[in-house]
Amino acid sequence: FVDANVVQLNTVKSKFQALVILYDLTEGRRVERMQLDFVRNVSHELKTPVTAITGFAETLLAGAAEEPATQKQFLQIIYDESTRLTALIQDILALSHLDRKDQSQDQLVNVYELVQANLELMQQKIRQKQLHVSVDISKTLQIKISKMKFNQILKNLIANGITYNKSNGSLVITAQVEKEQIRMHIVDSGLGIPSDLQSRIFERFYRVDQARATHKSGTGLGLAIASELTVSLEGELTVDSQLGVGSEFILKLPIV
Ligand code: ADP
């Protein structure tokens, strides 16, 4: 009787182990496929600006440089594409750091100061667009968090609030502490996002309407980075947006 039970137990055990191994394999294949897709996407995204730069430089060398207007136009394209390439490389590096398991050290961060520091860096674009920016955050609000990750999330959300805004538009940034989390709202009066695409904007390389040509140097990675960083901090990043009216990004992060 005992023997029979042991045999049965062993069979169950080995079935279970087989299942676990199968699960591991499927999970492994899924990750492998995702990595392969990512590498394919990256290569494609990098090739586009490089091809343009090489092509226009070759045309200039072949004689187009003699025509001043053409020369200026081609140099502008080369400049724009190089800027795009730099942004892509920075974002890809940010994503590859993200994949690494090591957690950066938590430290006390003053939320108001971090938001202001980012706005300061983007002052030129804010002025160009004549945006009305308001920050409603207590100057004494401090949270313990990885400053590097929190800063990257804020930077990407604020940059988008500026980039996809209309001229003379508004950008409102607020933060409240409730229970054991901080809730931030980054609200713009910009282009907005069609409701059926609102979940897709967090995917790597996804860009709403490639024809939104106003922002040529975008990479489609900013929100993927922000969202993946938020998840790694056990928080939540969501969007509420209306086409033609504006977007509101809501960032919730645990603070204990
Ligand atoms: P990027 O800005 O480099 O294209 P993101 O991942 O930051 O990439 O954003 C993905 C897409 O989501 C953008 O291309 C844009 O179409 C849309 N988007 C992001 N933020 C906003 C916003 N605040 N208002 C309107 N559209 C936005």
Side-chain angles (χ1 to χ4, degrees):
F1 179 70
V2 171
D3 275 359
N5 263 350
V6 169
V7 170
Q8 201 182 346
L9 182 69
N10 280 338
T11 322
V12 171
K13 251 191 185 166
S14 71
K15 261 193 196 153
F16 181 67
Q17 274 161 357
L19 259 178
V20 170
I21 291 168
L22 193 69
Y23 173 78
D24 267 5
L25 274 178
T26 343
E27 178 62 11
R29 288 222 182 94
R30 199 179 65 82
V31 171
E32 210 174 278
R33 194 170 316 130
M34 268 173 61
Q35 281 168 344
L36 215 81
D37 280 352
F38 180 62
V39 172
R40 259 192 222 120
N41 274 331
V42 166
S43 324
H44 172 78
E45 294 287 329
L46 289 176
K47 249 187 222 157
T48 317
V50 170
T51 309
I53 293 168
T54 320
F56 283 100
E58 271 170 9
T59 319
L60 279 173
L61 287 170
E66 281 149 34
E67 171 74 46
T70 316
Q71 183 192 41
K72 191 155 185 258
Q73 188 195 352
F74 286 9
L75 283 174
Q76 186 66 51
I77 297 172
I78 292 175
Y79 178 80
D80 290 345
E81 293 297 329
S82 312
T83 312
R84 199 180 132 63
L85 201 55
T86 310
L88 261 168
I89 293 167
Q90 272 169 357
D91 279 357
I92 291 164
L93 279 177
L95 274 173
S96 71
H97 287 310
L98 226 163
D99 288 341
R100 268 200 257 135
K101 279 276 177 281
D102 60 340
Q103 300 290 319
S104 48
Q105 286 289 307
D106 285 353
Q107 56 182 295
L108 266 185
V109 178
N110 182 302
V111 181
Y112 175 82
E113 282 170 14
L114 198 61
V115 167
Q116 288 297 351
N118 275 293
L119 288 170
E120 198 54 50
L121 289 174
M122 300 176 206
Q123 210 38 252
Q124 204 190 343
K125 275 169 100 186
I126 293 174
R127 251 189 252 124
Q128 271 170 3
K129 279 203 156 169
Q130 296 178 298
L131 298 181
H132 308 275
V133 180
S134 79
V135 178
D136 184 9
I137 301 171
S138 158
K139 287 186 180 157
T140 54
L141 174 57
Q142 296 200 97
I143 59 171
K144 200 160 184 238
I145 197 163
S146 152
K147 188 174 182 180
M148 193 266 284
K149 290 183 177 181
F150 187 40
N151 187 49
Q152 180 89 53
I153 299 168
L154 285 179
K155 188 174 101 184
N156 293 3
L157 295 177
I158 296 173
N160 282 349
I162 297 169
T163 301
Y164 300 105
N165 220 320
K166 296 170 186 155
S167 90
N168 229 349
S170 69
L171 178 65
V172 180
I173 305 167
T174 64
Q176 293 102 25
V177 172
E178 49 182 40
K179 289 189 196 141
E180 283 154 8
Q181 67 175 12
I182 177 173
R183 200 179 74 216
M184 295 192 69
H185 292 246
I186 294 100
V187 190
D188 67 66
S189 61
L191 305 176
I193 303 150
S195 50
D196 55 326
L197 302 180
Q198 283 172 24
S199 58
R200 299 215 57 194
I201 56 171
F202 298 102
E203 290 172 18
R204 291 178 173 188
F205 294 112
Y206 188 82
R207 304 190 75 198
V208 178
D209 183 7
Q210 300 292 334
R212 280 183 183 191
T214 44
H215 184 39
K216 278 180 267 168
S217 60
T219 62
L221 288 173
L223 284 179
I225 294 171
S227 145
E228 289 177 41
L229 281 173
T230 305
V231 170
S232 82
L233 293 169
E234 290 169 20
E236 193 183 279
L237 177 62
T238 51
V239 65
D240 186 9
S241 178
Q242 210 181 326
L243 196 60
V245 177
S247 309
E248 172 170 20
F249 284 83
I250 302 146
L251 173 69
K252 292 180 191 167
L253 292 168
I255 51 175
V256 179

